Amino acid sequence: MSALILVNGEVRDDCIAAGMQALRKGAPALDVAEIVARAVESDVKDHSVGFSGLPNIMGEVELDASIMDGATLATGAVSALKGYLHPISVARQVMERLPHVLLTDAGAARFAAEIGAEAGDLLDDESKAIYLKRLQAVGKEWAALREIRDWSEIANLESLISSGKVPLIDLVTRAMRYHEGGDTMNVIVRDASGHIVSAVTTSGVAWKYPGRVGDSPNIGAGNYADDRYGAAVATGMGELTIRHATCVRAVIAMGYDRRIGEAGHETLRDMSRIAEARGAWIRMLLLDRNGTVGGYCTHNGSTLKVQRIDESAPQVIICEHVI
Ligand code: ASP
């Protein structure tokens, strides 16, 4: 069975190529997954991951990431990490250096500083402009929000909220009707020795409440790998995949010898038990123990990319529409 890299369709080919070069040199799956994830975290055009990711409702980028080693079931994750460019590398270090699996917010930032992770401003002009546009659109509902006209006035938002002029809960609820971003980065790597690693990195849903943690750092929800059965990674509204433990369900289904397509369709279809899941956008990528890949999505037109070690370029495959 050949080594391979599987990602969501939005990942640029050059990000895959960086991982493929390492895979061809015999790098282990952990290294390859980290290389691909870091490349996407640096992609300025991707407003859902790493640098230039869309911020929370207060205008701060909070990053979530996790990595799972299917050989040992070791995992590491960070959530609501601010001010660091490569959350995937911090997540890996959590796995390798701490007796923990998940660090959040200030604790995650403290650890990132301690290990010498690269710090940096996560917003660029484009992500600031998208944020301000949304705030102004929502501002039609609260006159006070019109006082924030450009980025230099963003600090005023805190006082508008603490003075009660703008209720934060309502602001989040209304702003989140705009579904920007949504291309969380998913990668599954199988290396030459057959080991599987899955990794997820994201800025999470745009306009979220500060401190909101999605499925990406929640092992079992947005990410799961077990060399014996395969791996699963997900994108979409993380509250749903957390409630449903989607990725671990799909991997266990493959462990019970469901064919990959059955595991994909049945797992996503089962989510419709959750009322809010009906009509929601969820995509899951799977790799089974035989090296077969599959993508399943509740909406049409979503894609995955897969490149096997002997192929010269990634293939784009349309995810199967789950109804
Ligand atoms: N799953 C991510 C989250 O809920 C968002 C996404 O996939 O776009 O944070």
Side-chain angles (χ1 to χ4, degrees):
M1 258 167 295
S2 59
L4 61 83
I5 298 175
L6 166 64
V7 293
N8 52 304
E10 295 79 15
V11 172
R12 286 196 341 238
D13 286 5
D14 58 295
C15 300
I16 304 170
M20 192 44 76
Q21 203 182 10
L23 197 60
R24 290 197 173 119
K25 284 186 186 146
L30 268 173
D31 290 355
V32 177
E34 185 181 356
I35 289 167
V36 177
R38 283 177 66 95
V40 181
E41 287 171 345
S42 300
D43 181 352
V44 291
K45 289 280 163 229
D46 192 326
H47 290 305
S48 302
V49 181
F51 177 74
S52 82
L54 292 177
N56 69 15
I57 197 68
M58 303 303 293
E60 283 187 309
V61 183
E62 293 182 311
L63 301 175
D64 292 344
S66 68
I67 191 158
M68 181 158 192
D69 182 349
T72 59
L73 307 190
T75 72
V78 289
S79 65
L81 176 65
K82 296 193 273 277
Y84 287 88
L85 298 171
H86 292 295
I88 196 66
S89 299
V90 184
R92 181 173 176 183
Q93 296 287 311
V94 169
M95 176 175 86
E96 292 181 344
R97 298 175 70 174
L98 284 176
H100 304 309
V101 296
L102 170 61
L103 291 182
T104 192
D105 204 340
R110 180 183 184 138
F111 175 74
E114 189 179 355
I115 63 170
E118 289 150 83
D121 187 358
L122 293 166
L123 284 164
D124 67 353
D125 289 346
E126 202 167 283
S127 52
K128 284 178 188 170
I130 298 171
Y131 171 79
L132 281 171
K133 192 170 155 214
R134 279 305 144 241
L135 207 62
Q136 279 149 12
V138 179
K140 289 183 192 128
E141 309 191 34
W142 291 286
L145 270 185
R146 284 180 220 138
E147 288 168 26
I148 301 174
R149 287 166 299 255
D150 61 45
W151 192 257
S152 63
E153 294 170 322
I154 202 68
N156 299 342
L157 182 57
E158 196 65 67
S159 57
L160 292 178
I161 289 166
S162 54
S163 64
K165 286 189 185 151
V166 177
L168 185 55
I169 295 173
D170 294 347
L171 180 60
V172 168
T173 310
R174 289 179 201 189
M176 280 193 58
R177 289 184 196 144
Y178 299 93
H179 293 290
E180 262 107 350
D183 300 333
T184 287
M185 191 266 171
N186 285 168
V187 60
I188 298 175
V189 178
R190 192 187 144 101
D191 65 22
S193 55
H195 292 313
I196 300 172
V197 166
S198 51
V200 181
T201 179
T202 187
S203 49
V205 292
W207 331 131
K208 60 192 172 184
Y209 198 100
R212 176 266 187 186
V213 176
D215 57 334
S216 308
N218 269 296
I219 294 300
N223 183 5
Y224 202 79
D226 185 326
D227 276 7
R228 296 170 299 173
Y229 313 138
V233 280
T235 52
M237 188 46 97
E239 280 71 7
L240 297 170
T241 43
I242 291 172
R243 287 167 71 181
H244 187 249
T246 305
C247 286
V248 73
R249 281 178 188 242
V251 172
I252 287 174
M254 292 191 287
Y256 282 120
D257 284 333
R258 307 297 290 163
R259 285 202 307 271
I260 187 168
E262 291 169 339
H265 282 267
E266 287 168 12
T267 303
L268 285 197
R269 216 178 287 134
D270 183 67
M271 207 191 277
S272 63
R273 275 197 68 219
I274 302 174
E276 295 85 345
R278 295 176 208 141
W281 193 97
I282 300 289
R283 170 180 52 195
M284 182 171 62
L285 307 183
L286 297 181
L287 169 73
D288 75 10
R289 65 179 144 225
N290 303 316
T292 308
V293 302
Y296 309 91
C297 188
T298 54
H299 282 59
N300 269 321
S302 176
T303 56
L304 63 82
K305 287 182 180 174
V306 61
Q307 186 174 2
R308 294 175 195 279
I309 204 164
D310 51 357
E311 292 171 340
S312 56
Q315 295 175 55
V316 179
I317 298 175
I318 296 176
C319 294
E320 293 177 29
H321 184 197
V322 177
I323 33 176

